[in-house]
Amino acid sequence: MSASAESLIADIPAFAPHARPATLLRPTEGMPGVRDSSVGGPPLWPEDESWPECRAPHLMEVREKLSDEERETWQRIDRAMKERHRRNPSRGYELTNEEARIQTEIMAGASALDMTNWERIRGVQDTSGPSVPMVPVIQLYARDVPGDHWPTGMDLLQVLWCPNDHSEPDYFGPTIELRYRSSSAVETVLNPPRPEQADEGYLPEPCAVDPEEIVDLPAVDELPEDLYDEGCRWADARGIEYHRGLACRPGWKVGGWPSWHLTDLIPIDCSCGARMRLFLTMESSNDGPDIVVGRFGELRIFTCPVDAAHPIRLNIQ
């Protein structure tokens, strides 16, 4: 038997209670139509149903020129840091406490510094602009993605997002809507509007999908430590990585387990108190859909296992 989650479970049955079904969407070049599952493809949207728009404040970039004194001070600190590293290459590039304090004052709460134009960059909430049409990101038919997440009588899921950044207490990225519908009830199709205000990284290229059903396992954050170690030894003996090879499989994925590769485990809880489950993962890529979320990361949608009507929660790793 090849090295897979199923073969690991056959050899170490203690993993069985932790296994979750998942579907890798595997976006590929193609010309999907409205009756196809797709990423970034045309949606089967009723002509008599209005297209959703985002009316929430969007995050816009504001640039502020550094004064000559601020620029010279920053450059002086940068030279001093590099000189310390030159004298002692075994140590990293380090700032003194006083230098760090001065740089913090210069940044004045900004999130980034453009050292070509010497401008502070900060994000501010823009409430002045018009509403922005949502963008179709994923369309999935139940025939391609089996599972227990389909509401009764529904066989089509459409995922849309606002192609602009939004800032919330625990999240920074596009807002998202999920729409379920019965495909047989749609007779005439609406041609969705294109947004004039959009981040290019949030405009996916149309792709067909090539679904693959898998079994996904959790990583160290959500397993007993001794069981995780046993799984790693099993995977190492077969020349594969447990994490990402058998657990928290990467890619565009429905179901399965989330990876917490940038942080420790972040519990995602519903307002009802239930621990939410990973529903959908969307991955940055330079090919296929050609989208970028976060710092070239993964945007994950979590849903409530008690009541799917409860609001979704979003997380980027």
Side-chain angles (χ1 to χ4, degrees):
M1 184 180 292
S2 62
S4 64
E6 293 92 333
S7 57
L8 169 58
I9 293 168
D11 288 345
I12 311 175
F15 273 97
H18 303 281
R20 287 182 182 175
T23 302
L24 299 178
L25 298 180
R26 304 194 299 180
T28 59
E29 289 187 15
M31 297 289 289
V34 296
R35 298 284 175 180
D36 299 318
S37 293
S38 65
V39 172
L44 184 73
W45 198 276
E47 192 173 35
D48 59 355
E49 183 178 326
S50 60
W51 186 256
E53 296 182 337
C54 178
R55 294 178 171 82
H58 299 128
L59 205 63
M60 65 177 296
E61 185 179 278
V62 173
R63 289 173 169 261
E64 303 163 346
K65 198 77 174 177
L66 266 63
S67 68
D68 290 342
E69 181 180 357
E70 288 173 327
R71 176 175 56 79
E72 290 166 2
T73 300
W74 193 285
Q75 289 174 320
R76 174 178 55 77
I77 292 173
D78 189 59
R79 288 194 300 270
M81 177 183 65
K82 290 176 179 176
E83 177 60 20
R84 287 192 295 270
H85 176 72
R86 186 189 67 78
R87 293 175 185 170
N88 190 354
S90 64
R91 302 189 63 172
Y93 291 92
E94 300 173 348
L95 295 173
T96 67
N97 290 338
E98 178 63 12
E99 288 170 343
R101 183 192 66 78
I102 293 171
Q103 286 194 342
T104 298
E105 288 183 354
I106 292 174
M107 290 299 291
S111 59
L113 177 65
D114 179 346
M115 296 179 68
T116 300
N117 298 308
W118 292 103
E119 295 171 331
R120 283 183 292 261
I121 304 172
R122 68 176 78 246
V124 298
Q125 298 281 6
D126 178 20
T127 59
S128 62
S131 57
V132 176
M134 303 287 277
V135 170
V137 183
I138 296 178
Q139 173 166 277
L140 298 176
Y141 283 87
R143 63 177 183 266
D144 296 319
V145 185
D148 59 4
H149 45 263
W150 294 97
T152 302
M154 304 296 179
D155 69 334
L156 178 61
L157 166 65
Q158 293 164 327
V159 181
L160 307 98
W161 68 23
C162 173
N164 296 278
D165 282 321
H166 298 72
S167 181
E168 301 174 10
D170 299 317
Y171 174 76
F172 178 93
T175 56
I176 287 181
E177 283 192 26
L178 306 183
R179 296 288 182 98
Y180 286 95
R181 66 177 78 251
S182 170
S183 61
S184 62
V186 183
E187 298 179 355
T188 56
V189 180
L190 176 72
N191 186 24
R194 295 288 289 179
E196 295 182 5
Q197 178 183 337
D199 182 323
E200 288 296 320
Y202 296 149
L203 301 176
E205 293 293 326
C207 287
V209 298
D210 180 21
E212 176 188 1
E213 294 177 49
I214 64 166
V215 172
D216 205 15
L217 296 170
V220 62
D221 307 273
E222 299 180 269
L223 275 178
E225 186 175 351
D226 57 344
L227 185 59
Y228 171 75
D229 291 341
E230 191 175 359
C232 288
R233 288 192 295 269
W234 186 96
D236 290 344
R238 288 155 181 80
I240 62 171
E241 294 283 342
Y242 174 80
H243 185 249
R244 296 305 214 179
L246 302 173
C248 309
R249 293 281 298 273
W252 291 70
K253 179 175 72 175
V254 178
W257 287 91
S259 170
W260 302 103
H261 50 278
L262 296 183
T263 65
D264 293 330
L265 171 66
I266 300 175
I268 306 292
D269 293 331
C270 182
S271 57
C272 73
R275 178 61 50 85
M276 303 184 83
R277 288 172 66 106
L278 177 65
F279 173 60
L280 183 64
T281 302
M282 293 170 279
E283 184 181 62
S284 297
S285 63
N286 286 323
D287 53 11
D290 191 21
I291 68 159
V292 177
V293 293
R295 292 181 173 88
F296 210 77
E298 299 173 344
L299 192 159
R300 294 91 67 85
I301 300 175
F302 290 79
T303 55
C304 178
V306 176
D307 188 341
H310 289 175
I312 63 173
R313 290 193 62 186
L314 307 174
N315 175 269
I316 291 180
Q317 283 276 307

